[in-house]
Amino acid sequence: MTLPTHGRRAASSRSARFRPTVARDSATPRGAARSTPEPSRPTRRGRAVRPAFSVIAMTFVGGMMIATSVPALAITATDTEVRASVYAPAEDTVHYEPQTVEVGSDGVMSMLAAEQYNVEAAPPPIVSQVASVGDVSLIDTDAVVWPVLSPDRRSSGFGPRSAPCAGCSTNHDGVDFNPGNGTPVMSIADGVVVLATENGGGLGVNVEVQHNIGGELITSSYGHMQFGSLGVSVGDRVTAGQQIGLVGTTGQSTGPHLHLEMFGVDGVRFDGFAWLAARLG
Ligand SMILES: [Zn+2]
């Protein structure tokens, strides 16, 4: 007969066979110990196991909660791309209670003296009537420019003169600039176009622009420009230096030049060259 020489079963069966006393001796206290708590053992085992399960389950749930509540930065920490909104988890919204301040009945209203401040109010815009446009507000401006790039080239100044052509006036209402045929004609200041026509009579292709210069309503008129060169229409807002047409010789003109007229609310023409030179140097 071959006996198993290893394994727990072999050892126990061997000890049961060859050393019954030892088995009994050792079995007695074990049996005594076992006899009473034996029926409750499965329960105890169950009790012992269940908390362990619960702890594991809790740990797992906790882990999930941690995993879902950590900021996106932790999750994308290994990303090589730079992400813009990782610092803005929606749960971080903070709500503030509105604050209230109670003032006692002994509170005193104090008035601030206006003289303590050096306030310079902007002048009100001049309201001008523009045909087919209606009221137009003109913002005050002091910035003026020459209407052409070479203002020194002039043929005829403002005032009395010998008429250069039959039908030409002996009293020149404007200033004639001779920068060359087809050169740009520019608005002398910010303003609004009140006239833009190719049938300006003696002035030919003519544009008028109204300005609020230092609180004064001033109109500039540009005559004899080329047909088809008008770049503006009535009601258009223009800025200082904005091109409105090209130098030509339309209307009563003996050669290509810009005829510039300037006048105030009374309609009386004044020397535009002197007026501009005083401001531009
Ligand atoms: Zn002229």
Side-chain angles (χ1 to χ4, degrees):
M1 184 183 179
T2 329
L3 290 168
T5 51
H6 56 85
R8 279 185 187 179
R9 196 161 288 192
S12 64
S13 62
R14 208 173 5 180
S15 62
R17 219 174 263 175
F18 299 109
R19 295 185 293 171
T21 349
V22 177
R24 210 189 300 130
D25 285 347
S26 61
T28 314
R30 250 188 262 149
R34 254 180 226 153
S35 59
T36 18
E38 194 66 50
S40 65
R41 214 182 204 178
T43 324
R44 216 166 58 191
R45 211 179 273 154
R47 271 192 203 134
V49 168
R50 257 187 232 117
F53 253 113
S54 303
V55 168
I56 291 164
M58 291 283 279
T59 312
F60 182 65
V61 169
M64 282 180 71
M65 283 173 71
I66 290 165
T68 51
S69 62
V70 287
L73 178 63
I75 295 163
T76 60
T78 53
D79 277 13
T80 49
E81 278 179 55
V82 178
R83 307 211 174 182
S85 59
V86 292
Y87 289 105
E91 309 89 68
D92 283 1
T93 310
V94 179
H95 297 280
Y96 292 101
E97 288 298 318
Q99 295 186 27
T100 53
V101 177
E102 276 184 33
V103 181
S105 56
D106 53 343
V108 179
M109 289 278 283
S110 61
M111 299 298 286
L112 289 172
E115 292 79 21
Q116 289 175 346
Y117 297 91
N118 189 14
V119 177
E120 213 171 282
I126 291 176
V127 177
S128 173
Q129 274 285 328
V130 181
S132 78
V133 173
D135 286 344
V136 174
S137 62
L138 299 166
I139 307 299
D140 192 359
T141 180
D142 285 322
V144 294
V145 297
W146 291 109
V148 291
L149 286 177
S150 307
D152 291 334
R153 295 172 65 185
R154 296 182 309 281
S155 58
S156 189
F158 182 81
R161 65 173 181 183
S162 54
C165 67
C168 287
S169 65
T170 51
N171 189 49
H172 196 206
D173 278 344
V175 183
D176 291 346
F177 293 91
N178 293 56
N181 191 33
T183 56
V185 174
M186 301 167 287
S187 175
I188 58 147
D190 291 3
V192 64
V193 176
V194 293
L195 178 75
T197 179
E198 293 209 323
N199 303 301
L203 290 175
V205 177
N206 183 212
V207 166
E208 285 185 4
V209 182
Q210 278 192 348
H211 320 276
N212 175 356
I213 297 173
E216 238 186 302
L217 182 70
I218 289 173
T219 303
S220 56
S221 173
Y222 313 80
H224 310 311
M225 293 188 290
Q226 286 184 3
F227 285 117
S229 73
L230 292 187
V232 292
S233 306
V234 171
D236 284 357
R237 288 194 176 276
V238 293
T239 55
Q242 180 175 334
Q243 182 175 322
I244 55 179
L246 297 174
V247 170
T249 184
T250 55
Q252 278 187 336
S253 171
T254 52
H257 73 282
L258 168 67
H259 174 88
L260 173 73
E261 290 184 12
M262 292 188 68
F263 50 93
V265 284
D266 54 4
V268 176
R269 269 59 175 168
F270 59 84
D271 188 345
F273 177 80
W275 187 89
L276 283 169
R279 285 161 177 78
L280 293 167

